[in-house]
Amino acid sequence: MHVKLRIIPTLKLLAQENRYIVGVAVCVSLINGILPFVIILGNSEILNSLMQASYQQVWQQLGLTYAIYILGQVAVNVGQRYLDVQMVNVDERLKLRLRRSWMMVDFEQLETDDFFAQMNQSETSFRYSGGFAVFMQQLNQTIQSVTSLSVGIGVTVTLIVLGINQSKLMALLSIASLGLILFGEWLGLIWYRRLTVQNLKIFRILMKQERVLNYFLLEVINRYEIIKSIKLNQFTTVIMKHYREQWATSQKTNEAYIGNQFQSRVVTTVMTGLPISVLVALLIVKIRLKILKIGSLNNLFGSLVQVAASSTALVTAYQNLERFEQQTEFIHHQLLKPNVLKKKQRVTAGRVITFENVSFRYASGKLALNHVNLVLPIQGTTAIIGENGSGKTTLVKLLLGLYHPTSGRVTLDGVDIQALNREDYLKLFSPVFQDYAVFDFSLKENMIANHVEDPAMLDTLLRRWQLRPWIQKLPKQLETIVGSYSSENFQPSGGQKQQIALVRGGYQAGKLALLDEPTASLDPLKELTTFQNIKRFSLQQPTIFITHRLGAAKIADRVLLMKSGQLIADGTPEELKQVSPEFRTLWAAQARIYR
Amino acid sequence: MMETFRNWKSVFRLFVMTIKKLVVFGLWLGDIGCSTLFLTLFTLLPAIIIRLTTSSLSTWIIAIFIGGMAAVAYGLAGLDTQIQSHLAKKTFLFRYQYLPKFAQDIFQWPQETLDSVEGKTLIDQGYEAIYNGGNTGLEAILNRTFDFSRNLVQGMALLFIMGWANIGSVIWLLGLNALALLLQRWRNNWFIKHKPERNRINTQVSNLVRTLMQRQNGKDIRLFHFDSVFTKYFQRFIRQLVDWQRKYVRISANVNGIQVMLNTLGIVGALGWLIFTKSNVDVIITFMVAIQAFNGRLIALFQDLTEIGRNQVYVADLEKFLAVADQQKHSGKKQVAAIERITFDRVSYSVNETEVIHDVSFSIGKGETVAIVGENGAGKTTLIKLMCGLYQPTQGEIRVNNQPLRELDMADYWRRVAVEFQDDILLHVTVSENVSGKPLASTDSKRVVWALRQSGLANLSPDTIIGNELDPKGISLSGGQQQSLLFARVLYRKAEIVIFDEPTAALDPLAEQNFYDKFMATFNNQLNVLISHRLGSTLRANQILVMQAGRIVQQGNHQMLVKQKGLYQKLWLAQKQLYQGKE
């Protein structure tokens, strides 16, 4: 059946994290499904014995029935304990796997809107569905309900069929009852199926709408550092207006969803009421004809109560399962992707990076680089300058292999970088971008990231980029955890963050340092020292830096001037001053202040 | 227990205030009536059948009569479900109206609360109370309340039926189940006491996940392999969560086990007593059916109480959250006519016993431009936040004209201040709305176009939507374009105080020059404050405040300061050196 096929991937995922959990869950559910019938059948026997007034038998049966029942409950208790703890474990581990898979995604795919939409959607789904723990609950409920349902139906059918061969009338009545019930149930199932389809549709729409509401929460309301500017600029009205529109739409969908869910329950009621009404009449006839004993009444009622309860539970559980499967489509896709590692060439040395007629166009159609040809030996200092939007950062991203050229290629010592082992290639660089992130980890972790700790190197870098003074003032120094969720509540200033990013880049100990606007947030003193350091260490640490500070370009050995995605000037600072009018304009715009 | 009841009462009272009482009351009565009637009919059916089958009535009449009764009973059950559906919609609406209120309230919070850990936790927990659908939070409490009342009345009806048959068994049954209920309370109390601990862990996890989902972090995570650090933290949190769960399950499962025992003992005892006292068969069968149904009701009752107990903490959380916004209404009420002067009089500001701003005094008048310079971490941005009224000084006083700032109506004051911070964002709405900060209906579109032109964004159409991951049709702007758009926002405002915090950090030299030219040309009648590392911006300032370690160490204009031996001269020469001298 449709759902069964899709439950299998989820079960596979669960089994990957914990071998026993599915087995334990199935056992617990089966026992839970059967236990009520122990009581029902036991009680019926007791009733029959009572009618015969054989009291010794009565007490024996009472003892036996309830002893089995208690044993069963003990088993369920033990199993459930295990499940309750392990499901949290499995659930969290699967969530972690999912989040890790986000972190591993290819950079180019990362920047697409589609990927981010999926990521957001899976987080919303997790929140709304309750995660794998709830899946397990629903699965348990389903197995339990199906078990109860089967046993209950079995008992009921037995009651119908008993005595069918006694007389033609009996046979006719029994078959007619069965036929009537089956027909009614079939109609009910159709109605129910239609409701389920509607339910899934509404839910899909609901998830989309909840995602948008989530945007307002995540992007705007929960970005605490932004709220001050929203208050000052009184953006509240605009934001609330858009929010309320979304909210009103979502409200209607929610109501439709609730209505649908209760409709399903009405269907179940009708589908239970029909057999009960028919069967109870049939049973009366059979009792009158002495085909059945009084005890069977208890069997009938008990079983039908169970059947009713199980159907209601099954209906809800089934819908939840289908829904869960729908939401976790993306999760399955991510987690069950086969690991295909293409064999790539290892990088041993690195001398020259070449851009061979490279062009790059964004997915939106915007052309960022236009037939750029460039030979970059990994040595000395190179400055990349140009107006905003001229393609400087794109150039660096292509250099790092974060983007793939739309045409042309980037090579290292003649080999296309796409064919090289990505890890090796990235290790060549120490990059520091403009929009560096400082995470809510310790300062040390923010700087060392994944590398082995080397106190000497760390110390050198802390001194070079001048962090020592303020780190020493912190009570926990390098172990201070950044961010408002730690007790220290340490929020580094803009400049301090830039310094952290510089140390992080340097710690990577790549052959080539790539700095994108490394001093944008630094004061003049630190700015001067930064560029002096870049110059001083240029022998050990070749550097490429992007900057608007044309004065800094002066210290470089080589300057690349970009405009509208093209490289329009390439040479030493003196050469450019003489040859390029664009360079002179940019220079004058800043330098005139200091005359 | 008192706590639970108090919280429950709060929610229920709020709910009752928002609904049409007569309608909901009618629905509630209908729900209870139909469900109890159904259950009673169903329970008495076996006894009725036995009486009728042992009588002399015709088989067919009995069969049809009983069949009809069963059909009527189930009809009632169906009707009951319909009624429940309406009730569920009402509780949903109640919860749902809190969502926009939640959003709106956060915007009114004082900045210090927003910056603090307690504040952020309150927000997270308030969110949990209302954003988790019908299974958790406010809606769950109300739904469970209705369930509880229904189960209670049904249970009582069953008890009555059983008691009428044999009172001794019922007393025994009730006694044991009361014991079971007490255990329930014990478990709930444990949960309430320990939930904040789990909350804290989950908040931290959410924070990390949010960080992961921000687009600009993706680069660094890959370039530096931060994934292993993230994993380490996630795994630590997983261990903590599993430990918590283990402790909870231990108590929960033990309580469950004992409850089951008590329950079983109850049934066995009741049945045993009936058998021992040689009751009638129809009494016994009624009892058997009734006990099964009663069991079901009891379990449901226990679950309802547990869920109400589990969710009532959210009420407390939400109330704490709402209380913060209420506190804010007690801010100042005064308004000034026209802003002529801002004075800082020996202002100090501390955070967590660390002094960030120390004894700062200065004054800015209308038409003046003040530049604030200094090394990183000197306190420049904090000074601005004090000037905006986002923070309150711990010592000293800030005055606007001659009124203390703390006595002013903040909403009015903020309308007259335009600030551009370093970490400002653009919203996923049209360019016009981003510039004006108002809905389109209240936006002066001509002024928007003017502001865009002045900031060098003449090519940007005001109707374009700034894109994000939810809307692939939106455009994305480069860093420089974003900064220019933020400048347009300030231009649009017609504010009396204009403040810029590092407005040209992302701009190329030509755009930077354009900025300064526009700045000097446009803001003539305002009080202008500029923080910048680019000392070129300070040339034409009337006053320059040089800050170091939270103090103002030098004050004056450029010509004066450049000659004094001090920090300003050092900064100036350092920048100049980049352009002229040798290293």
Side-chain angles (χ1 to χ4, degrees), chain A residues 81 100 105 113 116 215 217 229 231 243 247 250 276 388 435 437 440 445 450 484 521 590 594, chain B residues 74 96 109 117 120 127 131 207 213 215 219-220 222 228 231-233 254 376 424 468 508 575 579:
Chain A
R81 262 179 221 246
R100 277 185 62 78
V105 159
D113 294 329
F116 259 84
Y215 157 73
L217 219 55
S229 118
K231 281 201 310 203
Y243 184 82
W247 174 83
S250 187
I276 287 186
N388 283 113
D435 50 357
D440 287 353
E445 282 166 333
N450 192 31
S484 41
S521 307
Q590 280 185 349
Y594 302 99
Chain B
Y74 274 90
Y96 213 60
W109 279 23
V117 186
K120 290 185 187 155
Y127 173 87
Y131 262 93
N207 184 40
M213 301 220 291
R215 205 177 257 190
K219 238 183 7 274
D220 278 350
R222 277 154 192 73
S228 55
T231 307
K232 191 174 82 179
Y233 275 79
N254 287 340
N376 287 108
D424 273 349
N468 74 343
D508 63 62
Q575 237 175 38
Y579 283 88

Side-chain angles (χ1 to χ4, degrees), chain B residues 1-286:
Chain B
M1 179 78 140
M2 284 317 296
E3 174 86 23
T4 309
F5 184 64
R6 191 198 72 83
N7 283 331
W8 175 85
K9 215 166 42 152
S10 299
V11 157
F12 199 70
R13 198 181 321 137
L14 282 170
F15 177 65
V16 167
M17 283 198 300
T18 62
I19 52 166
K20 291 203 196 89
K21 297 189 218 335
L22 227 53
V23 171
V24 175
F25 187 64
L27 285 173
W28 178 67
L29 277 181
D31 176 27
I32 293 190
C34 287
S35 54
T36 309
L37 216 54
F38 160 71
L39 196 61
T40 315
L41 273 176
F42 192 80
T43 312
L44 291 177
L45 215 49
I48 297 177
I49 293 177
I50 291 183
R51 290 274 171 90
L52 287 178
T53 48
T54 47
S55 77
S56 53
L57 286 170
S58 149
T59 311
W60 297 107
I61 292 182
I62 302 176
I64 291 176
F65 173 66
I66 297 290
M69 249 182 96
V72 163
Y74 274 90
L76 281 172
L79 179 61
D80 179 45
T81 311
Q82 279 294 84
I83 297 178
Q84 282 182 33
S85 156
H86 288 292
L87 279 174
K89 286 191 187 158
K90 296 264 183 286
T91 58
F92 159 74
L93 274 176
F94 168 71
R95 174 208 30 125
Y96 213 60
Q97 43 126 349
Y98 275 100
L99 265 59
K101 179 155 171 52
F102 177 79
Q104 188 112 40
D105 271 8
I106 296 182
F107 292 132
Q108 292 172 8
W109 279 23
Q111 194 60 34
E112 279 131 338
T113 315
L114 284 170
D115 287 345
S116 70
V117 186
E118 294 80 34
K120 290 185 187 155
T121 316
L122 272 181
I123 291 182
D124 278 336
Q125 288 176 356
Y127 173 87
E128 292 292 316
I130 55 177
Y131 262 93
N132 276 327
N135 289 324
T136 307
L138 296 187
E139 197 178 330
I141 298 179
L142 290 167
N143 285 339
R144 288 295 178 163
T145 306
F146 284 124
D147 283 351
F148 179 81
S149 64
R150 187 187 326 122
N151 288 325
L152 189 66
V153 174
Q154 286 180 328
M156 292 199 304
L158 287 169
L159 274 180
F160 182 72
I161 294 175
M162 291 194 285
W164 183 52
N166 184 313
I167 197 86
S169 298
V170 168
I171 292 177
W172 168 255
L173 205 62
L174 271 181
L176 283 177
N177 281 302
L179 265 176
L181 194 62
L182 277 172
L183 281 174
Q184 186 73 1
R185 216 186 97 197
W186 182 47
R187 176 182 56 187
N188 286 353
N189 285 345
W190 189 96
F191 183 82
I192 291 168
K193 196 163 79 156
H194 289 84
K195 182 178 175 289
E197 192 185 316
R198 196 180 70 171
N199 273 357
R200 226 175 295 133
I201 305 173
N202 276 328
T203 309
Q204 287 176 293
V205 172
S206 304
N207 184 40
L208 275 187
V209 174
R210 276 201 289 263
T211 312
L212 261 188
M213 301 220 291
Q214 277 167 17
R215 205 177 257 190
Q216 68 262 28
N217 293 337
K219 238 183 7 274
D220 278 350
I221 294 177
R222 277 154 192 73
L223 290 174
F224 298 100
H225 289 297
F226 267 111
D227 53 285
S228 55
V229 185
F230 271 94
T231 307
K232 191 174 82 179
Y233 275 79
F234 275 128
Q235 281 172 337
R236 184 186 307 167
F237 293 134
I238 292 180
R239 269 196 302 276
Q240 290 175 353
L241 281 172
V242 173
D243 279 340
W244 189 95
Q245 184 76 357
R246 201 168 277 137
K247 275 186 260 172
Y248 178 59
V249 165
R250 196 173 306 146
I251 298 202
S252 179
N254 287 340
V255 165
N256 248 354
I258 299 178
Q259 281 177 331
V260 167
M261 287 307 147
L262 287 174
N263 198 292
T264 314
L265 211 59
I267 299 177
V268 173
L271 273 180
W273 181 250
L274 282 174
I275 295 172
F276 190 68
T277 52
K278 309 244 195 282
S279 309
N280 252 333
V281 176
D282 56 354
V283 168
I284 294 186
I285 196 176
T286 306

Side-chain angles (χ1 to χ4, degrees), chain A residues 107 353 355 358 360 362 368-369 372 374 376 382-385 390-403 410 417 425-426 429-434 512-517 543-547 560 562, chain B residues 219 223:
Chain A
F107 189 71
I353 299 178
F355 275 59
V358 169
F360 182 78
Y362 279 102
L369 279 191
V372 168
L374 184 56
L376 278 171
T382 311
I384 307 181
I385 59 179
S390 55
K392 309 189 289 292
T393 308
T394 314
L395 186 78
V396 170
K397 284 185 181 165
L398 281 161
L399 189 69
L400 280 170
L402 291 175
Y403 289 159
V410 180
I417 60 173
Y425 184 68
L426 282 178
F429 303 97
S430 294
V432 181
F433 276 95
Q434 239 181 330
L512 183 60
L514 292 173
L515 309 173
D516 186 353
E517 295 283 358
T543 309
I544 297 182
F545 60 90
I546 298 178
T547 183
L560 305 171
M562 298 202 60
Chain B
K219 238 183 7 274
L223 290 174

